[in-house]
Amino acid sequence: MSDRDGLLSAQPLILHFDEILRAHQSSIRSFFRKITAGRNELADELAQETFLLVYKNLQQYRGEGSLKAWIYSIARRVYLNTKVPHEVSSEEEWIGTTSLESDSRLDLERCFRWIDDEERLVLCLSYVDGLSHQEVSDMMNLPLGTVKTKIARAKQKILEGLGKRQEVKP
Amino acid sequence: MNDNQSCDEMFDQWMLEETIPDNGFTASVYQCILEEQQKDWKPWGFVLLSLSIAIFYFQQNLVEWVVKGHIMGRMILNTTISSIEINISQSTLVLLAAGVLYFTIESITKLWNESI
């Protein structure tokens, strides 16, 4: 959508809401599915809330930065304003379990729940196709260096968790 | 080392944006917008109702003017005005006008919302 931002601005954006919604729904829902670590229903609720805010505030979008970055800044706000329930079991308990049901994807999702909200946000935003680290930095109001450090640290924590898990797997 | 590498690859693979089919999501967003608009409208309905009541109530001259106009009209039509008794109280007129205004606006809004 970003390459079409110029074209969209020629007419009131609200007239293009349907186009915007259809173009970004998959990306935003995918983002929330990652950030909520596999809680798909909650992810869709948050995506719905995001598009509702996009609809309400579309007239205020001034064209500074890409439309995608603007939509993600709303998604970020929605996520921070929502109390996402945390994992009940602790990291130690989970690493010690030898459930045969667990697979790599579930392991990843669980590791993801243990990193703090800000790190999780920065990490997920950095993987959004078409968003630069600079845009993530602007969105999060963090210096570029801090963003890069947080991405590396969050990824390292997840990989460490996964590594521990692999060691105890039967 | 190999384990680390495979974890790394698995992580990158998982983080890649997936394509999620609509499956009614777009419709649910529109439903949400519709509900929100209807919710938003309620205060406006009451504000308009209160405003219209205030305007009609405090501008009694307007009501008098309407009544006088009616009487003048009757005079022009050579009707005996002495037999005309104005029974309609001002408050009834006020409430009637406000009610009509409120329900007209509500109906228009509902029609507008349904047409989106």
Side-chain angles (χ1 to χ4, degrees):
Chain A
M1 184 60 69
S2 57
D3 53 338
R4 299 175 65 191
D5 288 356
L7 194 136
L8 287 179
S9 61
Q11 284 180 295
L13 267 172
I14 198 73
L15 298 176
H16 295 280
F17 177 73
D18 190 61
E19 206 180 324
I20 293 166
L21 172 62
R22 286 175 204 282
H24 291 280
Q25 67 88 16
S26 175
S27 156
I28 289 286
R29 287 165 77 197
S30 170
F31 167 74
F32 277 121
R33 283 183 186 195
K34 297 285 180 305
I35 209 159
T36 58
R39 295 173 175 110
N40 292 357
E41 272 183 35
L42 174 65
D44 276 3
E45 276 172 31
L46 296 175
Q48 215 173 49
E49 180 68 23
T50 301
F51 283 111
L52 185 65
L53 285 173
V54 167
Y55 180 81
K56 280 183 177 174
N57 297 294
L58 205 49
Q59 300 295 15
Q60 287 159 28
Y61 170 64
R62 298 273 169 254
E64 294 154 3
S66 73
L67 183 63
K68 189 167 194 164
W70 182 75
I71 294 172
Y72 272 93
S73 68
I74 292 177
R76 169 193 162 266
R77 202 170 1 129
V78 168
Y79 176 71
L80 289 176
N81 288 340
T82 309
K83 293 276 172 230
V84 176
H86 286 285
E87 187 65 26
V88 181
S89 59
S90 68
E91 184 178 356
E92 289 75 22
E93 278 172 33
W94 171 67
I95 288 167
T97 60
T98 52
S99 166
L100 293 174
E101 287 172 16
S102 64
D103 60 14
S104 308
R105 195 180 58 83
L106 283 175
D107 287 350
L108 253 170
E109 285 172 355
R110 293 194 121 181
C111 286
F112 216 74
R113 291 178 197 180
W114 291 325
I115 57 175
D116 68 59
D117 275 349
E118 199 174 59
E119 282 178 343
R120 203 182 307 173
L121 257 173
V122 170
L123 189 62
C124 285
L125 286 170
S126 73
Y127 271 86
V128 171
D129 191 27
L131 279 190
S132 66
H133 282 182
Q134 185 58 57
E135 280 175 316
V136 177
S137 142
D138 293 341
M139 228 181 271
M140 299 291 299
N141 291 323
L142 291 170
L144 187 59
T146 312
V147 165
K148 287 180 179 173
T149 311
K150 278 187 184 290
I151 293 169
R153 198 183 301 153
K155 196 172 167 181
Q156 194 186 348
K157 277 184 194 173
I158 290 169
L159 293 180
E160 274 173 15
L162 273 178
K164 282 182 198 169
R165 178 72 179 149
Q166 302 243 325
E167 282 167 22
V168 294
K169 261 188 177 175
Chain B
M1 180 66 191
N2 277 341
D3 275 354
N4 279 347
Q5 209 172 358
S6 67
C7 282
D8 210 25
E9 279 169 15
M10 193 167 73
F11 177 77
D12 284 339
Q13 190 63 35
W14 185 70
M15 286 301 286
L16 280 180
E17 217 171 88
E18 55 187 311
T19 306
I20 304 170
D22 190 294
N23 287 343
F25 177 78
T26 307
S28 72
V29 170
Y30 280 116
Q31 181 62 32
C32 209
I33 289 171
L34 192 68
E35 282 168 14
E36 198 71 16
Q37 279 177 337
Q38 282 169 346
K39 221 189 290 170
D40 280 354
W41 175 249
K42 287 267 161 32
W44 283 107
F46 287 115
V47 168
L48 277 174
L49 179 64
S50 315
L51 266 177
S52 54
I53 288 172
I55 289 166
F56 277 92
Y57 185 76
F58 289 109
Q59 292 197 350
Q60 289 180 1
N61 287 341
L62 185 68
V63 179
E64 279 173 26
W65 181 81
V66 171
V67 174
K68 278 177 186 166
H70 177 74
I71 295 167
M72 290 285 280
R74 289 288 183 131
M75 281 173 75
I76 292 164
L77 291 167
N78 294 323
T79 312
T80 325
I81 54 163
S82 58
S83 63
I84 298 173
E85 279 189 22
I86 303 156
N87 291 323
I88 307 165
S89 72
Q90 287 183 357
S91 57
T92 313
L93 270 176
V94 166
L95 284 173
L96 198 67
V100 168
L101 185 69
Y102 179 72
F103 286 109
T104 309
I105 293 167
E106 277 280 74
S107 310
I108 291 168
T109 314
K110 273 185 187 163
L111 283 173
W112 171 258
N113 287 338
E114 279 165 12
S115 70
I116 292 175

